[in-house]
Amino acid sequence: MNQPFVNTSPQVSDEIRQTTCYMCACRCGINVHLKSGRVSYIEGNRDHPINKGVLCAKGASGIMQVTAPSRLRAPLRRVGPRGSGAFEEISWEEALQTAVDWMRPLRDTAPEKLAFFTGRDQSQALTGWWAQAFGTPNYAAHGGFCSVNMAAAGIYTLGGAFWEFGAPDWERSKLFVLFGVAEDHDSNPIKIGIGKMKARGARVIGVNPIRTGYNAVADDWIGITPGTDGLLILSLIHCLLESGKVDLDYLARFTNAAYLVNSTDGPNKGLFVRNAEAQPFVIDRRTGAPAPWEAKGVQPDLGAVWQGHRTVFQHMAERYLASEYAPEAVAERCGVTALRIRQLAAELASVAFDQAVEIAQPWVDFRGDEHATMIGRPVSFHAMRGISAHSNGFQTARALHLLQILLGAVETPGSWRMKPPYPKPVEAHPTPHFVSVPGKPLSGPILGYVRGPEQLALRPDGSPARIDKAYSWENPFSAHGLMHMVIPNAAAGEPYRIDTLFLYMANMAWNSSMNTAQVMQMLTAQESDGSYTIPRIIYSDAYASEMVAYADLILPDTTYLERHDCISMLDRPVSEPDAAGDAIRWPVVELDRDVRGFQSVLLDLGARLGLPGMVNSDGTALYKDYAEYMVNHLRRPGVGPLMGFRGTGAEEGRGAANPAQIARYIENGGFYQAHVPEAASFFKPWNMAYQEWAVEIGLFDTPQPYLFNIWSEPMRRFQLAAEGHGPHQPPDHLRDRLRQAMDPLPLWYAPFGDADERFPIHALTQRPMDMYHSWGSQNAWLRQIRGHNPLFVPTKLWKEHGFHEGDWARVTSANGQITVPVVHMAALNPHTVWTWNAIGKRKGAWALNDGAPEATRGFLLNHLISELLPPKGDGMRYSNSDPVTGQAAWFDLRVRIERVPAPDGGASLPAFGAVPRVVPEGGAK
Amino acid sequence: MNPAPSVIVFTVLSGMGFGYLALLATFHDYSGAAAFWHWAFGYVLATIGLMASVFHLGNPQRAWRAFTQWRSSWLSREAWGAVLTLLAFAPLALSDWLGLGLPRGFGWLGAALALATVLATGMIYAQIRAVPRWHHWSVPLLFLAYAVAGGCLLAGFRVSAILALVAVAITLWLHWRIGDGAFARAGSTLGSATGLGARGAVSVFEPAHTAGSYLLREMIYVVGRRHVPKLRMLALGAGVAAPVLALLLVPGTAGFGLAILLYLVGALAQRWLFFAQAEHVVGLYYGKR
Amino acid sequence: MTCLPGKTDKALGLVIDLDTCVGCQACVTACKGWNDQGYGAPLSDQNPYGAEPSGTFLNRVHSYQVQPDAAAPMIVNFPRSCLHCADAPCVTVCPTGASYKRAEDGIVLVNEDACIGCGLCAWACPYGAREMDADAGVMKKCTLCVDRIYNDTLPEVDREPACVRTCPTGARHFGDLADPTSAVSQLVAARAGYDLMPEQATRPTNKYLPPRQKDRPDQASLLAPLLDIKATGFAGWLDRVLGKI
Ligand SMILES: Nc1nc2c(c(=O)[nH]1)N[C@H]1C(S)=C(S)[C@@H](COP(=O)(O)OP(=O)(O)OC[C@H]3O[C@@H](n4cnc5c(=O)[nH]c(N)nc54)[C@H](O)[C@@H]3O)O[C@H]1N2
Ligand SMILES: Nc1nc2c(c(=O)[nH]1)N[C@H]1C(S)=C(S)[C@@H](COP(=O)(O)OP(=O)(O)OC[C@H]3O[C@@H](n4cnc5c(=O)[nH]c(N)nc54)[C@H](O)[C@@H]3O)O[C@H]1N2
Ligand code: SF4
Ligand code: SF4
Ligand code: SF4
Ligand code: SF4
Ligand code: SF4
Ligand SMILES: [Mo]
């Protein structure tokens, strides 16, 4: 038989350029293939530390992002009423001048009247620095509505957090437990890791009301009732303590379990007992006498009682041994049987202690004590928004960290490990700076970690200094700000009015806001004189998102293949537990329209405004563009945005600026890695080899060993204030809440709003792996995969309501109503309904046809959520946020459902009118 | 399966045309202009059908390639069959027209080829295991029965036509009876399609894509299945019973004319149903058949 | 040509691990991306930004729920592409010879220059592995990335299908299933890999690995290790626990 000839070796492309993906915040390395200067194919970069060659569905269809008809084409100025979509194209010169004309008077008189908030970017090292130079305290990125609970609980407890800042030891872990994760930022590493673990036959357990994705492949599924993870975890802790299955040696050496807690009534009660140098100390088991916690050879006594003061360990054990945490007591509430809880505890204990791993690697700890080997507990955990997006999320995340600590399962072989620049204790983080002075920069970084009430961002009259009320008594540890409160507060003039709202890469008029309908109203609200309540809105987007229509001035960004970006150690780098790493993006294709990289635009604005650090002494721009900044900017002596190829090109972490740096990154595949020495790769917070290496490469300036915080003193300080101690006192209506929420030991309380019996059902969203928030729908391939979303209903409710295939339901919350199609799902917690996040689109946006399924059938749960809780008895309306951090409590949503006839035309409700088009509808590709 | 109009028209008309040509070649003896018109009519019917099938192609300009795989492909065999049949009849047709006096025995060869072509058409469907309703000898039989009945009607053989129509009814009944249980007998279920059947009850959670696709349009055509009983009545009633009655009650050409019209309605309904009712096993993956 | 080659020297194919596939759809777009610019006509999309988009894909990932009688319900993600069957009915039905199975490695391909777009092969395939491209009017199907796996312009490591290369969880494996010593054959043996719809008598080359047994039975024996400390009162507990150091 003669077969046709097949050319099995076609030339794939003319050229490959290596850069960093940006269809999400995972930051995978990509090989962009070009044919005649145009992108022809994108694949993963095998050498890249994050993705090791693989790509997700979004990354592999990045080409569709670059050819999307929704791309903005030139700067726009609003000419009609706000929201009417009447824009005119203007030149960049006009656009920048307009922005400067609006901003300069603010800087000269009241810098706080500029509120600068950024969404999904990874340029916070730049944007935060810019805002600081401008002098406004009103700056944050999206972390406040995203997962600040995880970040803050991690930093305050471990000096490191989940997100993408740590990772299980995928090679050695034998048991991996995931709490509330659908996808996460570190999505490819998690997928690679789960794949590896499963190939090795290690066990994966998913704790999640919904069994899809990672939880679908998990060997065990615990379909917990939403909002109760804290209770489950504390019950596991109860079991472990009851049976003595805790790593006492680890607790004594590496945590503050042996610190003494002051038992004397008064302003110091519950703080640590301190010595003359104001240092907490421990009782040395060898002598029974007080000894410095960090002294060589000291053996901290967990059972010590000294002058009536007991150790943290005893306080902790006493609390969690109480019968209220027994599995039998929590089972029903959690929707998990007591037997199952005990089994899980037993499995954790058995893997941690009976299957310990040992690496023949000697190491020396900060006390100078030598360890012949590295012994680890091969139990690892990961958690994300399923825990954090509840109003009890901070304490739940703390509880999970406590569980890890008790098992000795942080920073040990086989367990969960941190990625440089973490570990980094809370003490090594800045405190928030917020006092604005006309014409001056702020005196320090805007975001930080408060240690006590005196560091809250309050004005002399006690009112919040920030527009989002971050670092106020309402949410003292709001380390990432509260992006979800900016528009509501600005619209209400609470705590004050602002002039210009400057947003970057955040679709606040749609899926990123709670209560979409009201936020759209707030954006267009007018005063009696016809002026807008939020007088000016400047927005940078790359695409025709829903938000674009609500801006007054649009600074169109490039797509990710057309600009420089810096994935920096100062920000959210691409480190792995074994290596510090950073990366760049660079223009791999030429621009074909009048848009500019936002970072370059920001630097240009800074220079025009004469902001310190952005201008030469003669007032000219210091940096031509972002690329120049990436190379030349210094944050500390020798430390700049990029760590690799510094100085002569051979210096790592520290060194002078190297003009060839970007070229070297490009040569190296777009990234740089500094490998953690073998002896330094575990026990990092206490391992002197690590501490010295970190200083050497510029992560810190001096070694910073520290102990994990089982008992959180900063929290206790707020509790003390709530109890009436100290000069800084909360408003009375917040005392009870602070007393409860700021408990120095992890605790569980029911999520706010749980009590409303009218709404018995939990309603959740999950991220689809193949879509990134709102911006995946403009991708012609991805939107075929997921162009609309149903509400998934568990068997119990399906039967109760008599649903059939093709039915519709009306879903009602305290805040609103939607009518949507339903689909049955068996592998779902019986009290929970859910849908995919951000699939629903507003008509007219994203260059889609008005009849697009995203706009007709697709829907958002956001219409049912509110940034404020329903009014309380006292008439107060609290924000729908965690009381510790201000994290938006997206997943506290409670609803009821009814079976209803399909709405006319099979379109989900509410159906908002079309948002005016700023780009024409897309035709053929 | 998607009842593509071109394929429906093709199978009905070409079957009828070949049936007619076969009879023309064997049992008739027209001459002169009458022969011309009768042969031309048969040729046109058969060719309209063939043309219709070519329009159904994605790349009709390459249709000639369909002749290359006669060793393995029923579609290729059908193509050959059609062309050979038309060629085989040509001398006879010319002879009838021009009075060349070619022996009638010549016609039997063409008739055999015509029936073989119709059989090949039926086999195109019958060979497809993935459509259990089709994967049966009753399908080529049915195609043959329709072709013969259509041929008899056009040829004006009253008794034969009635007998052939009765044969159509019987094969139809057989085909439906056998077809209705075919999917179940084939043993393909969502359990076997996914291999997960032994683990528990398998059902679709999410479709692969929310958007439409060729598969959904072509293979998973579920529109109008609820009209099955009505369409079956139509196929039997209009397509068989009514023409038989017409032939019995209405004398002369009028009876034939009426019967042919009714037969066509019934045959088209049957053919639509033949596709629309046929469930492809790929539908299992979509929870739809 | 449309006759099957009988025994092929190799039987190249995929092994898909349903225990590991998280349903991320990466293989779907990687396949689309590669084949949009590679073998034959691009994979077209109709109405890409319209109300009813539709396009050609060679690999689609489904998701099923499985409800066992006595265990927790499961979701199983299920990628579906051409299985490169040994007895490929799609090949034998093809009237033009465009559809063929390669004698050297068993890959089933469509020679698009010869395809008339009659659609019969798609009817013949039980697995829905063939899609007619609406723009080009030719039949498209998984090529097993024949233009990657032998491509000597690519580095050695990259000579594997695009979907395998991109799969983040490593749920897709590529190799010679005719060679019992190959990694894929061993995986199939170890994990009881199986054929889809064996009753269709297509003898697929691709194999699927079943989900592993999931969810612990409710047995109490696991609790044993937790019972070795029992004490009354907090002081007693503290004594016992700290006594272990
Ligand atoms: N119901 C519900 N709502 C939620 C959540 C939830 O779980 N449930 N999650 C919340 C969370 S955690 C988050 S982080 C938010 C996410 O919400 P957002 O941060 O608002 O994310 P996107 O919708 O992707 O919007 C980002 C905007 O950036 C634009 N963009 C994309 N690429 C570029 C670029 O290169 N340059 C510029 N300048 N702009 C670009 C997009 O066009 C889009 O308008 O959603 C929140 N909303
Ligand atoms: N593909 C893709 N990747 C993304 C994004 C995206 O839009 N698309 N967005 C990025 C962003 S901004 C973020 S913040 C991350 C978020 O990544 P994830 O944290 O994975 O975010 P969600 O999808 O919101 O998933 C929350 C999970 O928690 C579960 N859950 C909800 N409530 C509870 C509970 O009370 N207990 C438990 N145990 N589980 C619960 C939900 O079922 C869901 O599985 O993903 C990032 N990565
Ligand atoms: S996870 Fe996907 S979208 Fe995100 S950076 Fe990686 S490849 Fe790109
Ligand atoms: S899966 Fe379908 S297309 Fe592929 S070889 Fe088998 S029958 Fe042919
Ligand atoms: S569509 Fe093409 S490959 Fe398929 S059977 Fe027809 S000619 Fe052959
Ligand atoms: S082997 Fe190639 S053509 Fe086949 S599904 Fe995978 S990527 Fe697509
Ligand atoms: S890429 Fe891998 S994990 Fe993702 S859907 Fe495909 S086979 Fe499954
Ligand atoms: Mo987020």
Side-chain angles (χ1 to χ4, degrees):
Chain A
M1 268 197 294
N2 55 332
Q3 296 182 159
F5 169 76
V6 174
N7 178 8
T8 54
S9 289
Q11 188 70 42
V12 177
S13 53
D14 312 334
E15 193 190 348
I16 299 175
R17 296 183 170 176
Q18 296 184 302
T19 180
T20 309
C21 184
Y22 192 31
M23 240 57 59
C24 87
C26 188
R27 302 140 306 143
C28 300
I30 49 175
N31 301 341
V32 180
H33 290 257
L34 299 164
K35 269 186 197 157
S36 326
R38 299 181 58 177
V39 185
S40 60
Y41 178 60
I42 299 177
E43 68 188 349
N45 174 353
R46 285 195 187 268
D47 301 322
H48 199 276
I50 295 284
N51 57 313
K52 303 177 174 70
V54 311
L55 285 185
C56 78
K58 300 161 278 140
S61 57
I63 186 169
M64 302 307 293
Q65 212 76 11
V66 180
T67 54
S70 48
R71 288 175 323 177
L72 298 176
R73 315 202 58 85
L76 297 171
R77 174 166 51 209
R78 176 172 65 80
V79 288
R82 191 183 284 165
S84 71
F87 289 102
E88 61 178 359
E89 279 194 8
I90 53 174
S91 70
W92 272 103
E93 192 49 42
E94 270 179 285
L96 291 166
Q97 196 51 50
T98 307
V100 168
D101 290 346
W102 291 353
M103 289 177 180
R104 191 192 303 280
L106 302 181
R107 182 158 200 268
D108 291 343
T109 55
E112 75 279 4
K113 287 197 174 293
L114 176 78
F116 179 27
F117 283 79
T118 77
R120 319 259 0 92
D121 77 306
Q122 293 145 354
S123 314
Q124 292 164 37
L126 171 76
T127 53
W129 174 74
W130 189 94
Q132 182 186 335
F134 188 90
T136 178
N138 291 323
Y139 163 82
H142 75 289
F145 61 48
C146 182
S147 257
V148 63
N149 272 339
M150 302 315 282
I155 296 295
Y156 279 101
T157 311
L158 304 175
F162 288 127
W163 294 64
E164 75 267 23
F165 301 123
D169 183 352
W170 300 114
E171 314 294 334
R172 298 177 190 81
S173 198
K174 296 177 187 166
L175 175 62
F176 175 46
V177 192
L178 260 117
F179 281 86
V181 190
E183 173 75 339
D184 207 350
H185 297 87
D186 221 11
S187 49
N188 274 334
I190 292 176
K191 289 184 193 117
I192 297 169
I194 288 179
K196 273 190 192 158
M197 288 195 69
K198 293 191 68 92
R200 278 197 288 119
R203 270 170 62 75
V204 177
I205 299 181
V207 182
N208 200 308
I210 310 165
R211 192 179 207 181
T212 52
Y214 305 155
N215 298 284
V217 301
D219 300 286
D220 253 298
W221 172 55
I222 297 185
I224 194 165
T225 298
T228 65
D229 300 72
L231 205 50
L232 172 73
I233 294 164
L234 294 177
S235 185
L236 293 171
I237 289 175
H238 172 93
C239 297
L240 292 171
L241 285 170
E242 192 182 41
S243 56
K245 296 289 184 193
V246 293
D247 192 334
L248 296 169
D249 189 51
Y250 186 93
L251 288 171
R253 285 177 189 280
F254 304 136
T255 77
N256 68 10
Y259 279 5
L260 297 159
V261 178
N262 197 320
S263 64
T264 317
D265 283 341
N268 290 327
K269 182 163 182 178
L271 300 180
F272 297 134
V273 180
R274 287 168 193 267
N275 61 18
E277 293 83 46
Q279 279 296 309
F281 56 87
V282 297
I283 305 300
D284 192 340
R285 277 205 300 140
R286 295 170 306 177
T287 61
W293 62 275
E294 73 278 33
K296 186 167 168 53
V298 73
Q299 291 179 12
D301 184 359
L302 297 175
V305 181
W306 188 77
Q307 298 185 351
H309 310 302
R310 295 189 306 160
T311 58
V312 165
F313 181 77
Q314 294 175 67
H315 283 272
M316 171 192 73
E318 197 166 45
R319 169 173 297 181
Y320 304 120
L321 281 167
S323 59
E324 64 185 283
Y325 294 111
E328 293 69 21
V330 308
E332 200 192 322
R333 177 120 217 178
C334 296
V336 186
T337 64
L339 180 65
R340 197 65 181 271
I341 298 173
R342 288 190 189 278
Q343 279 176 350
L344 181 54
E347 195 171 349
L348 292 171
S350 137
V351 177
F353 301 112
D354 305 341
Q355 303 175 44
V357 288
E358 190 164 1
I359 300 179
Q361 171 67 58
W363 68 285
V364 181
D365 72 22
F366 63 93
R367 295 191 176 96
D369 293 344
E370 287 167 25
H371 304 258
T373 61
M374 291 178 160
I375 297 177
R377 313 288 173 200
V379 179
S380 53
F381 297 87
H382 185 71
M384 209 31 202
R385 294 184 64 258
I387 277 189
S388 64
H390 289 287
S391 53
N392 59 11
F394 177 87
Q395 285 286 14
T396 299
R398 283 254 302 143
L400 182 54
H401 291 316
L402 178 59
L403 175 63
Q404 291 176 285
I405 292 175
L406 289 175
L407 291 166
V410 179
E411 268 299 332
T412 65
S415 73
W416 178 83
R417 305 162 65 198
M418 296 185 233
K419 302 175 180 177
Y422 301 97
K424 186 172 170 187
V426 71
E427 292 73 24
H429 287 79
T431 56
H433 293 75
F434 55 89
V435 182
S436 56
V437 180
K440 288 260 155 36
L442 288 186
S443 55
I446 299 171
L447 299 174
Y449 288 81
V450 306
R451 283 47 134 178
E454 68 287 358
Q455 287 164 347
L456 289 179
L458 299 176
R459 294 189 290 188
D461 65 359
S463 66
R466 291 177 51 113
I467 186 69
D468 58 357
K469 305 191 189 175
Y471 308 114
S472 71
W473 291 105
E474 281 187 38
N475 24 248
F477 289 1
S478 33
H480 292 174
L482 282 78
M483 185 135 174
H484 53 298
M485 296 310 296
V486 174
I487 294 170
N489 289 355
E494 258 289 314
Y496 47 80
R497 294 211 170 274
I498 57 164
D499 178 85
T500 299
L501 179 59
F502 185 13
L503 293 174
Y504 166 46
M505 214 189 272
N507 200 6
M508 298 307 291
W510 195 243
N511 55 295
S512 315
S513 279
M514 296 167 147
N515 209 341
T516 40
Q518 280 189 31
V519 168
M520 289 184 267
Q521 275 169 20
M522 293 170 190
L523 289 170
T524 50
Q526 286 168 308
E527 298 298 288
S528 48
D529 66 357
S531 64
Y532 288 109
T533 307
I534 302 175
R536 292 187 169 115
I537 300 178
I538 305 177
Y539 181 44
S540 168
D541 200 311
Y543 306 100
S545 69
E546 283 87 350
M547 181 62 208
V548 168
Y550 293 94
D552 305 326
L553 178 64
I554 292 162
L555 307 174
D557 203 350
T558 71
T559 69
Y560 74 121
L561 296 184
E562 301 160 321
R563 64 171 179 249
H564 281 101
D565 265 331
C566 179
I567 297 110
S568 165
M569 285 305 280
L570 303 175
D571 198 331
R572 293 171 70 175
V574 291
S575 301
E576 284 297 297
D578 288 319
D582 60 11
I584 62 163
R585 279 185 204 98
W586 57 286
V588 297
V589 288
E590 291 218 7
L591 270 181
D592 56 358
R593 37 198 210 294
D594 195 19
V595 300
R596 292 188 187 172
F598 177 73
Q599 289 91 334
S600 293
V601 168
L602 195 63
L603 287 167
D604 190 340
L605 283 176
R608 289 168 191 250
L609 289 164
L611 300 187
M614 289 170 236
V615 280
N616 294 305
S617 48
D618 64 358
T620 55
L622 182 53
Y623 306 113
K624 179 169 94 328
D625 57 14
Y626 193 42
E628 270 200 1
Y629 163 94
M630 282 158 60
V631 171
N632 295 316
H633 174 70
L634 291 183
R635 206 38 79 86
R636 304 199 309 280
V639 177
L642 292 171
M643 71 185 298
F645 312 110
R646 299 198 68 83
T648 58
E651 286 149 62
E652 185 173 83
R654 293 176 191 270
N658 170 12
Q661 195 178 29
I662 289 186
R664 296 293 303 275
Y665 267 79
I666 292 171
E667 254 170 60
N668 199 47
F671 66 94
Y672 184 86
Q673 278 192 296
H675 294 274
V676 176
E678 296 253 307
S681 52
F682 293 95
F683 300 95
K684 291 186 197 113
W686 321 290
N687 184 333
M688 283 322 282
Y690 177 80
Q691 293 291 328
E692 279 152 21
W693 177 80
V695 171
E696 206 181 295
I697 69 153
L699 299 183
F700 334 128
D701 292 333
T702 54
Q704 327 227 354
Y706 62 96
L707 300 179
F708 286 165
N709 293 307
I710 292 175
W711 185 277
S712 169
E713 223 181 17
M715 301 196 72
R716 177 60 194 153
R717 292 195 188 107
F718 279 91
Q719 237 185 0
L720 279 169
E723 287 163 9
H725 298 288
H728 302 277
Q729 286 294 303
D732 284 340
H733 70 272
L734 289 174
R735 282 187 196 278
D736 282 348
R737 186 169 116 150
L738 282 164
R739 230 185 331 254
Q740 179 187 48
M742 301 305 277
D743 197 303
L745 282 176
L747 89 164
W748 182 84
Y749 51 87
F752 302 150
D754 250 19
D756 194 338
E757 280 160 16
R758 291 173 303 160
F759 306 108
I761 302 168
H762 298 263
L764 304 176
T765 55
Q766 292 203 103
R767 274 135 179 78
M769 292 180 173
D770 42 63
M771 280 281 168
Y772 197 60
H773 297 287
S774 57
W775 88 48
S777 296
Q778 62 194 325
N779 181 316
W781 297 348
L782 297 180
R783 69 183 291 258
Q784 292 183 57
I785 296 176
R786 204 176 297 281
H788 52 83
N789 53 315
L791 186 78
F792 294 100
V793 176
T795 310
K796 176 173 168 280
L797 298 174
W798 188 263
K799 288 193 177 144
E800 265 174 31
H801 292 272
F803 283 123
H804 294 284
E805 201 185 321
D807 276 354
W808 288 66
R810 183 188 300 127
V811 187
T812 311
S813 75
N815 307 297
Q817 246 175 21
I818 58 177
T819 302
V820 299
V822 289
V823 163
H824 168 235
M825 179 183 192
L828 175 57
N829 174 284
H831 315 294
T832 305
V833 295
W834 72 279
T835 191
W836 296 114
N837 188 42
I839 298 301
K841 296 282 136 44
R842 188 142 169 220
K843 275 196 186 71
W846 304 103
L848 299 179
N849 179 274
D850 279 353
E854 292 89 341
T856 54
R857 228 175 136 80
F859 66 93
L860 297 180
L861 275 194
N862 301 49
H863 308 319
L864 297 180
I865 309 178
S866 171
E867 67 286 340
L868 294 177
L869 293 171
K872 282 248 177 117
D874 56 7
M876 301 287 297
R877 285 198 79 176
Y878 294 95
S879 92
N880 182 12
S881 304
D882 185 287
V884 182
T885 61
Q887 151 101 50
W890 301 95
F891 297 161
D892 278 3
L893 177 62
R894 293 296 211 114
V895 300
R896 71 167 175 268
I897 59 175
E898 298 146 84
R899 184 165 172 260
V900 294
D904 289 342
S908 59
L909 299 174
F912 293 93
V915 77
R917 289 186 185 276
V918 289
V919 297
E921 184 185 324
K925 272 184 309 184
Chain B
M1 305 295 292
N2 187 352
S6 59
V7 178
I8 293 178
V9 169
F10 157 60
T11 56
V12 170
L13 294 188
S14 74
M16 206 172 174
F18 283 118
Y20 177 59
L21 287 173
L23 293 172
L24 212 52
T26 47
F27 294 106
H28 264 298
D29 203 354
Y30 292 110
S31 60
F36 175 83
W37 287 115
H38 279 102
W39 278 108
F41 179 60
Y43 268 88
V44 166
L45 269 189
T47 345
I48 287 182
L50 286 175
M51 293 310 284
S53 79
V54 171
F55 285 128
H56 179 68
L57 299 179
N59 276 290
Q61 78 282 8
R62 300 203 270 257
W64 62 271
R65 289 185 183 269
F67 292 93
T68 61
Q69 303 303 314
W70 51 273
R71 267 175 294 146
S72 50
S73 164
W74 282 106
L75 182 49
S76 197
R77 289 170 193 157
E78 185 207 39
W80 274 111
V83 170
L84 288 179
T85 310
L86 297 180
L87 285 178
F89 283 137
L92 194 65
L94 279 178
S95 152
D96 282 358
W97 176 26
L98 305 173
L100 301 179
L102 219 59
R104 282 245 73 80
F106 220 86
W108 287 96
L109 170 69
L113 278 170
L115 291 188
T117 306
V118 174
L119 182 85
T121 310
M123 282 310 293
I124 292 173
Y125 303 97
Q127 70 180 332
I128 297 194
R129 194 192 283 268
V131 183
R133 185 182 284 279
W134 288 351
H135 189 50
H136 194 264
W137 50 260
S138 65
V139 170
L141 204 62
L142 190 66
F143 276 67
L144 281 172
Y146 265 105
V148 171
C152 289
L153 282 170
L154 290 175
F157 296 156
R158 200 175 293 261
V159 177
S160 310
I162 291 175
L163 290 178
L165 283 168
V166 171
V168 166
I170 295 171
T171 17
L172 256 188
W173 178 81
L174 252 178
H175 169 67
W176 286 336
R177 235 201 102 108
I178 295 166
D180 283 351
F183 204 103
R185 277 194 307 279
S188 293
T189 60
L190 184 48
S192 76
T194 58
L196 299 169
R199 299 295 280 268
V202 188
S203 55
V204 170
F205 172 57
E206 284 196 288
H209 287 50
T210 58
S213 68
Y214 169 75
L215 289 178
L216 286 164
R217 286 189 299 273
E218 182 72 7
M219 249 71 78
I220 311 173
Y221 186 87
V222 289
V223 184
R225 287 223 190 113
R226 40 198 172 99
H227 304 308
V228 166
K230 273 183 251 161
L231 284 162
R232 284 189 177 181
M233 287 308 294
L234 195 65
L236 268 183
V240 178
V244 168
L245 282 177
L247 291 177
L248 289 175
L249 303 178
V250 187
T253 340
F256 276 100
L258 193 58
I260 289 168
L261 270 181
L262 288 163
Y263 161 90
L264 271 178
V265 170
L268 290 173
Q270 182 277 332
R271 218 41 66 87
W272 190 87
L273 202 54
F274 178 76
F275 288 96
Q277 228 193 327
E279 300 163 309
H280 195 286
V281 294
V282 73
L284 292 167
Y285 289 107
Y286 289 86
K288 300 177 183 149
R289 289 184 349 205
Chain C
M1 184 78 286
T2 18
C3 294
L4 289 163
K7 207 172 143 29
T8 55
D9 302 339
K10 286 182 177 178
L12 296 185
L14 300 176
V15 172
I16 295 174
D17 188 349
L18 298 182
D19 189 57
T20 310
C21 171
V22 292
C24 69
Q25 310 272 352
C27 50
V28 175
T29 60
C31 172
K32 178 109 174 164
W34 176 258
N35 288 290
D36 204 30
Q37 56 85 53
Y39 184 97
L43 305 178
S44 70
D45 296 298
Q46 285 66 49
N47 239 324
Y49 306 101
E52 286 178 25
S54 170
T56 311
F57 286 79
L58 310 184
N59 175 32
R60 296 182 185 253
V61 178
H62 297 249
S63 156
Y64 297 103
Q65 35 188 350
V66 182
Q67 292 173 261
D69 286 339
M74 308 192 288
I75 296 285
V76 180
N77 300 298
F78 185 93
R80 181 177 56 80
S81 57
C82 173
L83 309 170
H84 299 280
C85 306
D87 290 338
C90 56
V91 169
T92 50
V93 300
C94 176
T96 62
S99 227
Y100 67 106
K101 185 171 178 72
R102 282 158 54 98
E104 59 270 47
D105 52 18
I107 297 178
V108 174
L109 282 183
V110 173
N111 172 9
E112 294 180 11
D113 294 337
C115 173
I116 57 174
C118 67
L120 192 55
C121 53
W123 287 7
C125 170
Y127 309 103
R130 293 177 165 242
E131 302 196 6
M132 180 100 72
D133 189 82
D135 274 8
V138 294
M139 194 52 74
K140 303 293 302 190
K141 67 175 292 300
C142 159
T143 64
L144 208 61
C145 287
V146 68
D147 49 352
R148 290 187 63 91
I149 58 177
Y150 300 114
N151 193 331
D152 43 49
T153 74
L154 291 177
E156 185 93 45
V157 277
D158 280 342
R159 294 181 205 159
E160 60 178 3
C163 56
V164 174
R165 189 190 188 284
T166 210
C167 174
T169 61
R172 303 175 77 89
H173 306 265
F174 163 72
D176 181 7
L177 286 132
D179 172 5
T181 64
S182 70
V184 279
S185 295
Q186 289 181 345
L187 199 56
V188 170
R191 295 272 311 279
Y194 62 85
D195 289 349
L196 303 184
M197 290 199 267
E199 70 280 0
Q200 288 285 330
T202 54
R203 295 202 296 130
T205 301
N206 286 12
K207 300 284 181 268
Y208 283 74
L209 306 180
R212 292 183 172 91
Q213 205 50 55
K214 290 193 193 296
D215 301 305
R216 295 249 140 150
D218 279 354
Q219 38 152 279
S221 65
L222 267 174
L223 293 179
L226 282 197
L227 300 178
D228 60 323
I229 285 220
K230 267 275 166 268
T232 42
F234 183 63
W237 175 86
L238 201 60
D239 244 25
R240 296 286 297 269
V241 167
L242 295 181
K244 296 208 307 182
I245 300 193

